[in-house]
PDB file of all heavy atoms in Angstrom:
ATOM      1  N   LYS D 220      41.835  -9.401  13.665  1.00  0.00           N
ATOM      2  CA  LYS D 220      40.925  -9.681  12.547  1.00  0.00           C
ATOM      3  C   LYS D 220      41.499 -10.843  11.733  1.00  0.00           C
ATOM      4  O   LYS D 220      42.630 -10.769  11.246  1.00  0.00           O
ATOM      5  CB  LYS D 220      40.775  -8.450  11.674  1.00  0.00           C
ATOM      6  CG  LYS D 220      39.830  -8.616  10.501  1.00  0.00           C
ATOM      7  CD  LYS D 220      39.775  -7.339   9.669  1.00  0.00           C
ATOM      8  CE  LYS D 220      38.899  -7.504   8.436  1.00  0.00           C
ATOM      9  NZ  LYS D 220      38.908  -6.269   7.599  1.00  0.00           N
ATOM     10  N   THR D 221      40.719 -11.907  11.601  1.00  0.00           N
ATOM     11  CA  THR D 221      41.251 -13.161  11.050  1.00  0.00           C
ATOM     12  C   THR D 221      40.464 -13.636   9.839  1.00  0.00           C
ATOM     13  O   THR D 221      39.230 -13.604   9.820  1.00  0.00           O
ATOM     14  CB  THR D 221      41.227 -14.268  12.117  1.00  0.00           C
ATOM     15  OG1 THR D 221      42.001 -13.847  13.256  1.00  0.00           O
ATOM     16  CG2 THR D 221      41.804 -15.563  11.582  1.00  0.00           C
ATOM     17  N   LEU D 222      41.192 -14.098   8.834  1.00  0.00           N
ATOM     18  CA  LEU D 222      40.604 -14.787   7.689  1.00  0.00           C
ATOM     19  C   LEU D 222      40.882 -16.270   7.845  1.00  0.00           C
ATOM     20  O   LEU D 222      42.035 -16.681   7.997  1.00  0.00           O
ATOM     21  CB  LEU D 222      41.222 -14.296   6.379  1.00  0.00           C
ATOM     22  CG  LEU D 222      40.789 -15.060   5.114  1.00  0.00           C
ATOM     23  CD1 LEU D 222      39.307 -14.823   4.820  1.00  0.00           C
ATOM     24  CD2 LEU D 222      41.648 -14.650   3.912  1.00  0.00           C
ATOM     25  N   VAL D 223      39.831 -17.091   7.841  1.00  0.00           N
ATOM     26  CA  VAL D 223      39.966 -18.545   7.878  1.00  0.00           C
ATOM     27  C   VAL D 223      39.672 -19.077   6.489  1.00  0.00           C
ATOM     28  O   VAL D 223      38.566 -18.866   5.956  1.00  0.00           O
ATOM     29  CB  VAL D 223      39.013 -19.177   8.911  1.00  0.00           C
ATOM     30  CG1 VAL D 223      39.096 -20.705   8.844  1.00  0.00           C
ATOM     31  CG2 VAL D 223      39.337 -18.694  10.310  1.00  0.00           C
ATOM     32  N   VAL D 224      40.637 -19.726   5.883  1.00  0.00           N
ATOM     33  CA  VAL D 224      40.469 -20.281   4.540  1.00  0.00           C
ATOM     34  C   VAL D 224      40.121 -21.754   4.684  1.00  0.00           C
ATOM     35  O   VAL D 224      40.954 -22.567   5.071  1.00  0.00           O
ATOM     36  CB  VAL D 224      41.741 -20.103   3.694  1.00  0.00           C
ATOM     37  CG1 VAL D 224      41.529 -20.658   2.288  1.00  0.00           C
ATOM     38  CG2 VAL D 224      42.148 -18.637   3.641  1.00  0.00           C
ATOM     39  N   ALA D 234      37.139 -20.675  13.587  1.00  0.00           N
ATOM     40  CA  ALA D 234      36.398 -19.443  13.330  1.00  0.00           C
ATOM     41  C   ALA D 234      35.398 -19.176  14.446  1.00  0.00           C
ATOM     42  O   ALA D 234      35.216 -18.027  14.875  1.00  0.00           O
ATOM     43  CB  ALA D 234      35.678 -19.544  11.984  1.00  0.00           C
ATOM     44  N   PRO D 243      37.181 -10.459  15.043  1.00  0.00           N
ATOM     45  CA  PRO D 243      36.360 -10.546  13.826  1.00  0.00           C
ATOM     46  C   PRO D 243      36.887 -11.629  12.888  1.00  0.00           C
ATOM     47  O   PRO D 243      38.093 -11.748  12.683  1.00  0.00           O
ATOM     48  CB  PRO D 243      36.500  -9.151  13.201  1.00  0.00           C
ATOM     49  CG  PRO D 243      36.954  -8.262  14.317  1.00  0.00           C
ATOM     50  CD  PRO D 243      37.780  -9.124  15.221  1.00  0.00           C
ATOM     51  N   VAL D 244      35.980 -12.413  12.318  1.00  0.00           N
ATOM     52  CA  VAL D 244      36.390 -13.551  11.496  1.00  0.00           C
ATOM     53  C   VAL D 244      35.620 -13.571  10.175  1.00  0.00           C
ATOM     54  O   VAL D 244      34.401 -13.374  10.145  1.00  0.00           O
ATOM     55  CB  VAL D 244      36.155 -14.891  12.225  1.00  0.00           C
ATOM     56  CG1 VAL D 244      36.536 -16.061  11.326  1.00  0.00           C
ATOM     57  CG2 VAL D 244      36.952 -14.956  13.524  1.00  0.00           C
ATOM     58  N   THR D 245      36.354 -13.822   9.105  1.00  0.00           N
ATOM     59  CA  THR D 245      35.780 -14.098   7.789  1.00  0.00           C
ATOM     60  C   THR D 245      36.199 -15.501   7.380  1.00  0.00           C
ATOM     61  O   THR D 245      37.357 -15.887   7.587  1.00  0.00           O
ATOM     62  CB  THR D 245      36.269 -13.088   6.738  1.00  0.00           C
ATOM     63  OG1 THR D 245      35.806 -11.778   7.080  1.00  0.00           O
ATOM     64  CG2 THR D 245      35.757 -13.447   5.339  1.00  0.00           C
ATOM     65  N   VAL D 246      35.262 -16.267   6.806  1.00  0.00           N
ATOM     66  CA  VAL D 246      35.551 -17.639   6.378  1.00  0.00           C
ATOM     67  C   VAL D 246      35.366 -17.748   4.872  1.00  0.00           C
ATOM     68  O   VAL D 246      34.307 -17.371   4.344  1.00  0.00           O
ATOM     69  CB  VAL D 246      34.631 -18.659   7.084  1.00  0.00           C
ATOM     70  CG1 VAL D 246      34.927 -20.073   6.586  1.00  0.00           C
ATOM     71  CG2 VAL D 246      34.792 -18.582   8.593  1.00  0.00           C
ATOM     72  N   LEU D 247      36.385 -18.246   4.178  1.00  0.00           N
ATOM     73  CA  LEU D 247      36.263 -18.539   2.745  1.00  0.00           C
ATOM     74  C   LEU D 247      35.793 -19.974   2.566  1.00  0.00           C
ATOM     75  O   LEU D 247      36.432 -20.907   3.059  1.00  0.00           O
ATOM     76  CB  LEU D 247      37.605 -18.372   2.024  1.00  0.00           C
ATOM     77  CG  LEU D 247      38.200 -16.968   1.876  1.00  0.00           C
ATOM     78  CD1 LEU D 247      39.360 -17.010   0.891  1.00  0.00           C
ATOM     79  CD2 LEU D 247      37.167 -15.955   1.423  1.00  0.00           C
ATOM     80  N   VAL D 273      30.073 -14.092  12.456  1.00  0.00           N
ATOM     81  CA  VAL D 273      31.075 -14.610  11.517  1.00  0.00           C
ATOM     82  C   VAL D 273      30.617 -14.305  10.091  1.00  0.00           C
ATOM     83  O   VAL D 273      29.466 -14.536   9.735  1.00  0.00           O
ATOM     84  CB  VAL D 273      31.273 -16.127  11.694  1.00  0.00           C
ATOM     85  CG1 VAL D 273      32.280 -16.651  10.663  1.00  0.00           C
ATOM     86  CG2 VAL D 273      31.753 -16.440  13.105  1.00  0.00           C
ATOM     87  N   HIS D 274      31.526 -13.771   9.291  1.00  0.00           N
ATOM     88  CA  HIS D 274      31.207 -13.445   7.900  1.00  0.00           C
ATOM     89  C   HIS D 274      31.687 -14.569   6.988  1.00  0.00           C
ATOM     90  O   HIS D 274      32.841 -15.005   7.078  1.00  0.00           O
ATOM     91  CB  HIS D 274      31.873 -12.137   7.492  1.00  0.00           C
ATOM     92  CG  HIS D 274      31.648 -11.767   6.058  1.00  0.00           C
ATOM     93  ND1 HIS D 274      30.398 -11.453   5.555  1.00  0.00           N
ATOM     94  CD2 HIS D 274      32.510 -11.680   5.018  1.00  0.00           C
ATOM     95  CE1 HIS D 274      30.499 -11.184   4.278  1.00  0.00           C
ATOM     96  NE2 HIS D 274      31.766 -11.316   3.911  1.00  0.00           N
ATOM     97  N   PHE D 275      30.812 -15.046   6.119  1.00  0.00           N
ATOM     98  CA  PHE D 275      31.145 -16.130   5.198  1.00  0.00           C
ATOM     99  C   PHE D 275      31.204 -15.607   3.767  1.00  0.00           C
ATOM    100  O   PHE D 275      30.331 -14.858   3.334  1.00  0.00           O
ATOM    101  CB  PHE D 275      30.118 -17.263   5.280  1.00  0.00           C
ATOM    102  CG  PHE D 275      30.268 -18.132   6.500  1.00  0.00           C
ATOM    103  CD1 PHE D 275      29.689 -17.752   7.705  1.00  0.00           C
ATOM    104  CD2 PHE D 275      30.982 -19.310   6.455  1.00  0.00           C
ATOM    105  CE1 PHE D 275      29.814 -18.535   8.837  1.00  0.00           C
ATOM    106  CE2 PHE D 275      31.118 -20.112   7.586  1.00  0.00           C
ATOM    107  CZ  PHE D 275      30.534 -19.723   8.773  1.00  0.00           C
ATOM    108  N   GLU D 276      32.239 -16.003   3.052  1.00  0.00           N
ATOM    109  CA  GLU D 276      32.357 -15.739   1.615  1.00  0.00           C
ATOM    110  C   GLU D 276      32.255 -17.087   0.910  1.00  0.00           C
ATOM    111  O   GLU D 276      33.160 -17.919   0.993  1.00  0.00           O
ATOM    112  CB  GLU D 276      33.698 -15.078   1.297  1.00  0.00           C
ATOM    113  CG  GLU D 276      33.829 -13.653   1.793  1.00  0.00           C
ATOM    114  CD  GLU D 276      33.150 -12.646   0.871  1.00  0.00           C
ATOM    115  OE1 GLU D 276      32.733 -13.038  -0.244  1.00  0.00           O
ATOM    116  OE2 GLU D 276      33.027 -11.472   1.266  1.00  0.00           O
ATOM    117  N   TRP D 296      40.996 -13.092  -3.011  1.00  0.00           N
ATOM    118  CA  TRP D 296      40.304 -14.323  -3.353  1.00  0.00           C
ATOM    119  C   TRP D 296      39.367 -14.109  -4.528  1.00  0.00           C
ATOM    120  O   TRP D 296      39.046 -12.970  -4.890  1.00  0.00           O
ATOM    121  CB  TRP D 296      39.555 -14.882  -2.149  1.00  0.00           C
ATOM    122  CG  TRP D 296      38.477 -14.005  -1.577  1.00  0.00           C
ATOM    123  CD1 TRP D 296      37.160 -13.968  -1.923  1.00  0.00           C
ATOM    124  CD2 TRP D 296      38.635 -13.035  -0.520  1.00  0.00           C
ATOM    125  NE1 TRP D 296      36.488 -13.049  -1.159  1.00  0.00           N
ATOM    126  CE2 TRP D 296      37.362 -12.472  -0.287  1.00  0.00           C
ATOM    127  CE3 TRP D 296      39.711 -12.608   0.252  1.00  0.00           C
ATOM    128  CZ2 TRP D 296      37.139 -11.487   0.677  1.00  0.00           C
ATOM    129  CZ3 TRP D 296      39.502 -11.638   1.215  1.00  0.00           C
ATOM    130  CH2 TRP D 296      38.237 -11.076   1.424  1.00  0.00           C
ATOM    131  N   ASP D 307      40.900  -8.009   1.082  1.00  0.00           N
ATOM    132  CA  ASP D 307      40.712  -7.346   2.358  1.00  0.00           C
ATOM    133  C   ASP D 307      42.003  -7.493   3.156  1.00  0.00           C
ATOM    134  O   ASP D 307      42.860  -8.331   2.836  1.00  0.00           O
ATOM    135  CB  ASP D 307      39.530  -7.947   3.126  1.00  0.00           C
ATOM    136  CG  ASP D 307      39.002  -7.021   4.213  1.00  0.00           C
ATOM    137  OD1 ASP D 307      39.625  -5.948   4.440  1.00  0.00           O
ATOM    138  OD2 ASP D 307      37.989  -7.369   4.853  1.00  0.00           O
ATOM    139  N   PHE D 309      43.855  -8.270   6.802  1.00  0.00           N
ATOM    140  CA  PHE D 309      43.647  -9.011   8.046  1.00  0.00           C
ATOM    141  C   PHE D 309      44.909  -8.969   8.899  1.00  0.00           C
ATOM    142  O   PHE D 309      46.009  -8.727   8.406  1.00  0.00           O
ATOM    143  CB  PHE D 309      43.278 -10.462   7.744  1.00  0.00           C
ATOM    144  CG  PHE D 309      42.018 -10.614   6.931  1.00  0.00           C
ATOM    145  CD1 PHE D 309      42.079 -10.627   5.538  1.00  0.00           C
ATOM    146  CD2 PHE D 309      40.793 -10.723   7.557  1.00  0.00           C
ATOM    147  CE1 PHE D 309      40.916 -10.760   4.787  1.00  0.00           C
ATOM    148  CE2 PHE D 309      39.626 -10.862   6.815  1.00  0.00           C
ATOM    149  CZ  PHE D 309      39.690 -10.872   5.430  1.00  0.00           C
TER     150      PHE D 309
END
Side-chain angles (χ1 to χ4, degrees):
K220 181 181 177 183
T221 302
L222 174 67
V223 175
V224 181
V244 178
T245 296
V246 178
L247 291 192
V273 178
H274 177 65
F275 284 84
E276 290 280 350
W296 62 90
D307 199 355
F309 300 89

